[in-house]
Amino acid sequence: MNILFLSDNTSPADPRVLKAVEDANIGYAKSYGNDIWTAEADRLFKQEFGSDTLYFPVLTGTGANVISVGSVLSPFHSVLCAETAHIACDECGAVERFTGSRLVTISTPDGKLTPEMLAPFLRNPGFEHHSQPKVVSISQTTETGTAYSADELAEMSDFARSNKLILHIDGSRIANCAAGSSMSLKQAAKGADIVSFGGTKNGMLMGEAVLFLNPELAESVKYVRKQYGQLFSKMRYVSAQFIPYLRDGIWLENADSANSTARMLADGFSSKGIAIKYPVKGNAVFAHLSDEQIKRLSEEFAFYVWDESENLCRFVCPYTASKADVDGLLTLI
């Protein structure tokens, strides 16, 4: 069975990233981030996101998210997020387990939050019987494949600041968002205080980054990273991957390729009368298939039936997907 469209985690690592790991594997280096590769990755992240950016390498996306919000929360705080958010649906309660804080999930039509949706959850501040909202966590791109525009990010940022909230972006697919919206990485995260920056889904072997764009909030992060088991001793192998990924534009090249294939797939579905539920802003396509189509495709391709009640199926295109792969799937429809 072809598992290509099941997830962008199915793809192999980019050979240029593997070469960077191989090059870093020569000789000895200081541990826990006191190495030349981590210093260079830090410089490149500052170049992309601004000179105040603080870079903290971690191993997993869940680790990045939990450390990002856990660094600024007390157990009586809460995190406001979309009901589809990865931290709410796909991280086994990790945020609540490690932080003791509550996740407040909010229904959205397309995975995106708005100030109007958030406002009702900010009533009665200071009331000791209620968890106190502290963080707003959004995803870029969202779990439904949509993305926040520059104007929407500005609105969310202004709302967060006016209500003394911290804005976190789960950016496991921020490269796809930036490429799909013709933004720089900095623009795709504009207004955020903290970003979970992903690389694994877009060509890296393993490793993510916690980026504090507001360094005033970073007082606890290095201790939280250690307590949560994400302080990797041989950190050079994570940081080495980010060097070509950022310096050589691998993030953009791979994201463009994945997004292009997703648009090709969406267009192919549409040409056959299949409805696409959400705008394709990255590398994910959500399509309404018939029972017969799901059965036929499942014989040869793996994909997620996202919502059985409406036969909504998710197809995610990795950067290695090709037109031939798309044609092969569409031929079965």
Side-chain angles (χ1 to χ4, degrees):
M1 177 176 288
N2 190 328
I3 65 170
L4 185 149
F5 295 106
L6 185 64
S7 169
D8 36 14
N9 287 319
T10 63
S11 63
D14 190 297
R16 295 166 292 182
V17 170
L18 290 180
K19 180 64 165 57
V21 175
E22 182 181 0
D23 291 344
N25 196 42
I26 299 172
Y28 300 91
K30 290 183 177 180
S31 56
Y32 298 110
N34 298 300
D35 58 79
I36 59 174
W37 296 271
T38 299
E40 176 61 7
D42 180 75
R43 186 189 71 82
L44 290 168
F45 273 113
K46 284 178 166 59
Q47 183 175 293
E48 288 287 347
F49 287 92
S51 59
D52 290 336
T53 301
L54 299 180
Y55 158 63
F56 298 91
V58 296
L59 291 175
T60 68
T62 296
N65 284 335
V66 174
I67 290 167
S68 292
V69 299
S71 298
V72 296
L73 291 173
S74 293
F76 58 84
H77 287 137
S78 61
V79 179
L80 307 180
C81 62
E83 65 181 359
T84 53
H86 203 269
I87 59 173
C89 297
D90 292 286
E91 294 183 352
C92 200
V95 169
E96 292 164 314
R97 165 71 171 82
F98 281 96
T99 69
S101 299
R102 182 186 174 207
L103 288 182
V104 177
T105 59
I106 301 170
S107 178
T108 73
D110 58 0
K112 294 195 293 183
L113 293 172
T114 66
E116 292 74 24
M117 295 176 190
L118 293 168
F121 296 89
L122 301 181
R123 294 170 183 161
N124 302 318
F127 187 52
E128 64 195 73
H129 297 282
H130 294 173
S131 296
Q132 299 299 295
K134 183 69 173 181
V135 172
V136 174
S137 181
I138 63 176
S139 301
Q140 190 73 311
T141 59
T142 71
E143 286 69 28
T144 62
T146 57
Y148 291 85
S149 68
D151 288 344
E152 289 169 332
L153 283 177
E155 290 176 359
M156 292 295 290
S157 177
D158 290 345
F159 179 85
R161 277 156 181 70
S162 65
N163 289 280
K164 298 181 180 179
L165 297 170
I166 295 167
L167 182 60
H168 165 251
I169 289 180
D170 178 349
S172 66
R173 294 188 176 96
I174 196 169
N176 300 95
C177 170
S181 301
S182 299
M183 294 178 171
S184 66
L185 291 172
K186 183 177 182 178
Q187 289 170 330
K190 188 172 178 59
D193 295 296
I194 311 168
V195 176
S196 302
F197 184 90
T200 306
K201 297 179 186 298
N202 195 42
M204 282 180 48
L205 175 65
M206 52 83 184
E208 315 283 293
V210 174
L211 304 178
F212 274 75
L213 307 188
N214 181 352
E216 294 179 3
L217 299 173
E219 179 180 359
S220 301
V221 61
K222 64 180 181 180
Y223 310 109
V224 171
R225 178 176 60 171
K226 177 65 175 179
Q227 282 195 329
Y228 292 3
Q230 289 281 321
L231 180 61
F232 188 40
S233 61
K234 294 186 177 181
M235 204 177 293
R236 58 170 153 164
Y237 297 112
V238 175
S239 293
Q241 298 173 75
F242 280 121
I243 294 173
Y245 188 75
L246 296 171
R247 181 194 63 204
D248 302 337
I250 293 173
W251 71 267
L252 179 58
E253 178 185 334
N254 287 355
D256 266 337
S257 179
N259 291 0
S260 175
T261 311
R263 290 192 297 270
M264 198 182 306
L265 180 60
D267 290 343
F269 279 146
S270 296
S271 71
K272 297 178 181 295
I274 295 170
I276 305 300
K277 181 162 186 175
Y278 304 112
V280 179
K281 296 294 185 180
N283 62 326
V285 179
F286 289 79
H288 292 283
L289 302 181
S290 68
D291 290 336
E292 288 184 5
Q293 289 167 335
I294 291 174
K295 181 180 178 181
R296 179 69 184 97
L297 284 183
S298 296
E299 293 172 356
E300 297 190 35
F301 287 91
F303 54 92
Y304 278 112
V305 179
W306 193 259
D307 187 341
E308 291 184 2
S309 68
E310 54 178 314
N311 279 14
L312 182 64
C313 300
R314 188 194 77 165
F315 299 81
V316 179
C317 298
Y319 78 98
T320 48
S322 67
K323 182 178 184 300
D325 294 319
V326 172
D327 290 343
L329 187 148
L330 292 174
T331 298
L332 297 179
I333 294 292

